[in-house]
Amino acid sequence: MSRNKKAKWTWGMAALLSALLIVSGCGSKSGGSIVEGKINVITTFYPIYEFTKEIGGEEVNVVNLLPTGVEPHDWTPKSQDMVNASKAQLFLYNGAGFEGWVPSFLKGLNKDSEVRAVEVSQGIQLIDAEGDDGHNHGASDEAGHEHSHEAAGEAAAEEHAAGSGTAEGTSHHTDPHTWVSPKSALIMAENIKNSLVDADPEHKAQYEQRYEALKDKLAKLDQDFTEQLSGLPKKDIVVSHQAFGYLCRDYGLTQHAIMGLSPDAEPRAQDIVNLTKTVNEKGLRYVFFEELVSDKLAKTLANEAGVETLVLNPVEGLTKEQAENGENYFTIMEKNLQNLKKALQ
């Protein structure tokens, strides 16, 4: 890129970034209310909802908090959500800082509530990331992943008091996007199964049987990713936001993100310039974008670098069209695999 062209590009990107409103969403199926006579489980977003439904079957009533198309990072629980959670037996959330509102939400439940909160990312080796994530994901619960809502509320005060930045001003955040890797999803599914068995030991056999079926599907997906990505010549991908750390770690890839851990974390113009250079140096042919996040920056980067765009879905939720078409975690992850293979040839 010539000096004049680079200068025009940098000023142009600065103008675009200052005016651009990132329209993002991590939606998921939602709806429902407490059902008497069943184990009632509240889930915070789509992947946990899907796994819980598969394992729980007809013995479990699952109520997901986030509706389709709603962005979870900016979402605020309603009073009815707290009423439902207070009456439920289980409250399942990802943790690792993904749902920053959870500790205060649990603290605000009815004092006589017996709901058990379970952080389903427990047991996953978490990834640390540097830089501003664009919002308050919250802090991970280092004192324990399974706790009462009173304990969670007390932990929240300590976490917010401690802060997340270093003395030098560089913020360190836990990458919360655990579910995007089938290897991590296997751990999450087992944690969900164990929580259901603990809450309803009478139906242990049914939960175990359905968990084994889900485990087999996740193991097959893991095997497909391992085998089909291992022999490809390229190992670098450029993505919309930094949501693929676990996928890349587990399958030998490197992500270069336009945005940070949050799709709302805006890049600097110089970041886009550097990414253009990376695309050219690595010989990449595609820039990945997400259906639930504005594709403006991804398309701008692709146009500048002379490459095309492809979808790489972090499965934070379903679009309305995907929900209507019966898409799920597995169909989306299979599409991700096919698009990765296409990009890494």
Side-chain angles (χ1 to χ4, degrees), residues 13 17 22 257-260 265-272 275 297:
M13 281 309 305
L17 291 172
I22 302 296
I258 300 174
M259 275 80 81
E266 293 186 359
R268 300 167 301 174
Q270 187 59 43
D271 296 331
I272 304 298
L275 280 173
L297 283 178

Side-chain angles (χ1 to χ4, degrees), residues 282-318:
K282 299 289 185 179
L284 305 181
R285 297 185 294 124
Y286 296 94
V287 171
F288 287 108
F289 70 96
E290 306 164 23
E291 295 102 329
L292 294 176
V293 177
S294 171
D295 62 357
K296 289 183 179 180
L297 283 178
K299 286 187 174 180
T300 299
L301 173 58
N303 288 337
E304 177 64 24
V307 298
E308 300 179 51
T309 57
L310 276 176
V311 171
L312 193 62
N313 194 324
V315 207
E316 292 174 335
L318 301 178

Side-chain angles (χ1 to χ4, degrees), residues 114-313:
E114 297 182 356
V115 65
R116 180 189 304 169
V118 179
E119 186 174 357
V120 301
S121 63
Q122 180 181 13
I124 297 171
Q125 184 179 353
L126 300 177
I127 295 174
D128 290 329
E130 292 187 2
D132 184 9
D133 65 355
H135 59 84
N136 178 24
H137 273 298
S140 59
D141 179 10
E142 298 178 356
H145 292 263
E146 185 170 336
H147 41 70
S148 67
H149 63 269
E150 292 88 350
E154 293 170 0
E158 298 177 0
E159 290 162 353
H160 287 293
S164 62
T166 66
E168 291 75 18
T170 299
S171 296
H172 294 265
H173 304 275
T174 298
D175 184 344
H177 303 91
T178 53
W179 63 91
V180 186
S181 167
K183 290 185 186 296
S184 296
L186 279 162
I187 297 173
M188 295 169 67
E190 183 175 13
N191 288 337
I192 293 170
K193 181 263 296 182
N194 289 340
S195 69
L196 290 174
V197 171
D198 289 343
D200 183 25
E202 180 180 349
H203 295 103
K204 177 180 179 179
Q206 290 94 322
Y207 298 141
E208 292 281 1
Q209 182 179 14
R210 289 189 288 260
Y211 160 71
E212 288 297 329
L214 176 59
K215 178 182 176 182
D216 288 344
K217 291 196 296 182
L218 287 170
K220 176 62 166 57
L221 189 64
D222 173 38
Q223 182 181 11
D224 289 345
F225 268 80
T226 299
E227 293 179 352
Q228 296 182 37
L229 295 180
S230 62
L232 298 177
K234 294 184 175 67
K235 301 297 180 183
D236 293 84
I237 58 175
V238 175
V239 298
S240 292
H241 87 284
Q242 196 175 334
F244 303 93
Y246 295 91
L247 183 77
C248 288
R249 178 187 69 183
D250 292 340
Y251 303 104
L253 306 179
T254 299
Q255 69 174 340
H256 306 273
I258 300 174
M259 275 80 81
L261 290 174
S262 164
D264 293 323
E266 293 186 359
R268 300 167 301 174
Q270 187 59 43
D271 296 331
I272 304 298
V273 173
N274 291 338
L275 280 173
T276 302
K277 182 179 179 181
T278 297
V279 170
N280 292 327
E281 289 180 346
K282 299 289 185 179
L284 305 181
R285 297 185 294 124
Y286 296 94
V287 171
F288 287 108
F289 70 96
E290 306 164 23
E291 295 102 329
L292 294 176
V293 177
S294 171
D295 62 357
K296 289 183 179 180
L297 283 178
K299 286 187 174 180
T300 299
L301 173 58
N303 288 337
E304 177 64 24
V307 298
E308 300 179 51
T309 57
L310 276 176
V311 171
L312 193 62
N313 194 324

Side-chain angles (χ1 to χ4, degrees), residues 2-70:
S2 69
R3 182 177 300 177
N4 289 338
K5 185 177 180 182
K6 181 176 180 180
K8 290 179 181 179
W9 160 254
T10 301
W11 282 109
M13 281 309 305
L16 173 61
L17 291 172
S18 64
L20 178 63
L21 173 64
I22 302 296
V23 180
S24 61
C26 302
S28 50
K29 286 186 175 181
S30 67
S33 58
I34 298 299
V35 175
E36 297 295 331
K38 288 193 175 185
I39 297 299
N40 288 279
V41 182
I42 306 296
T43 61
T44 56
F45 77 123
Y46 175 71
I48 300 176
Y49 172 83
E50 179 177 334
F51 296 164
T52 305
K53 288 278 288 184
E54 286 210 35
I55 299 171
E58 62 184 17
E59 283 77 31
V60 173
N61 174 53
V62 187
V63 178
N64 198 51
L65 294 182
L66 285 167
T68 300
V70 172

